[in-house]
Amino acid sequence: MAVCELVLAQPGDFRRCMDILNAGREFQREQGFIQWPDGYPDEESVRSDLRDGLGYVLKVDGVIAAYMYIGFDGDPSYPAIKGAWKHDGPYAVVHRIAIAPEFRGQGLGRITFGLVEQFCKEHGFHLLRIDTDGANKRMQHVLEKNGFYYCGTVIQGGGDRFAYEKKL
C-alpha cells in the first residue's frame, strides 16, 4: 500500500509543481474546456504560494503526485456568491489543485481531500470551500463524491465558477 502524505511544498519542488499545473491545464483542454487560461497559474503565483507557505504537495511513496494552494484567509470573491453558502464562519480554501498525469485514475482525489480535511481541522478550520469551472465535470464529480455541496457561483479569473463547500 502506498504511503501518501500532504506536505508543504519546498522551493526545490517548484519545477515539479509547475509541470503538474501545466499538465493540468493541458488536460482541461483535452476535456474540452478552459478553466485555467494560458499563463495561469503562472510561475509568480506558484513562487508566491511557496514563499508564503501556502503551496502544498501530495507525495505518494515520496514522489510529488499533486500540487495545491491551501489558504486560511478566505477568498475575496466568495462573499459575493450568487447563491448562498450553507455555513458561516472561518473557512479554508483550496485553489490551483492538479494531479500529475501518471497518478490520475488512482483514487488520489479521495486521498487528497481526506488529507486536506485533516490538515484543516488540525489548524482549527471546520469549513472548506473550493470552486471549479462549470464545464469541469470531472472535478465536480470528485467534489460531490467527497461530500462537498454546490452552493452557487462566484467570479474567478473573470468568469463564473461553481462554488462548493464542505463542513468538516
Side-chain angles (χ1 to χ4, degrees):
M1 184 163 168
V3 175
C4 297
E5 58 183 342
L6 180 71
V7 299
L8 186 65
Q10 299 301 309
D13 300 331
F14 172 78
R15 183 49 40 210
R16 174 69 173 160
C17 296
M18 284 305 304
D19 289 346
I20 290 171
L21 290 167
N22 289 332
R25 184 182 307 107
E26 288 306 311
F27 188 61
Q28 291 170 357
R29 283 166 173 69
E30 291 168 12
Q31 302 300 305
F33 67 93
I34 298 173
Q35 177 170 328
W36 293 341
D38 289 336
Y40 180 85
D42 62 0
E43 290 190 0
E44 184 48 41
S45 295
V46 176
R47 286 188 198 285
S48 178
D49 293 351
L50 274 58
R51 184 175 50 250
D52 297 340
L54 301 171
Y56 290 85
V57 293
L58 173 74
K59 287 189 174 183
V60 177
D61 290 333
V63 177
I64 295 174
Y67 175 80
M68 73 215 68
Y69 163 99
I70 304 173
F72 296 110
D73 291 330
D75 182 293
S77 69
Y78 283 8
I81 188 170
K82 295 175 193 165
W85 297 110
K86 296 189 178 298
H87 305 281
D88 291 324
Y91 61 91
V93 63
V94 175
H95 286 309
R96 298 189 278 283
I97 185 168
I99 294 177
E102 65 271 25
F103 286 95
R104 289 185 195 133
Q106 298 180 24
L108 290 182
R110 179 185 55 77
I111 292 168
T112 301
F113 279 110
L115 291 170
V116 168
E117 291 169 22
Q118 177 184 333
F119 176 74
C120 291
K121 287 191 276 188
E122 289 169 358
H123 284 81
F125 286 80
H126 299 279
L127 197 54
L128 183 57
R129 293 179 179 167
I130 189 169
D131 62 83
T132 191
D133 195 88
N136 194 343
K137 302 299 183 197
R138 183 179 297 254
M139 182 57 125
Q140 292 168 35
H141 173 75
V142 168
L143 293 172
E144 291 166 6
K145 188 174 176 181
N146 283 282
F148 285 80
Y149 292 94
Y150 172 79
C151 295
T153 59
V154 295
I155 303 294
Q156 288 282 13
D160 283 349
R161 299 285 188 260
F162 285 16
Y164 287 83
E165 177 179 80
K166 182 175 183 180
K167 185 146 177 83
L168 308 178

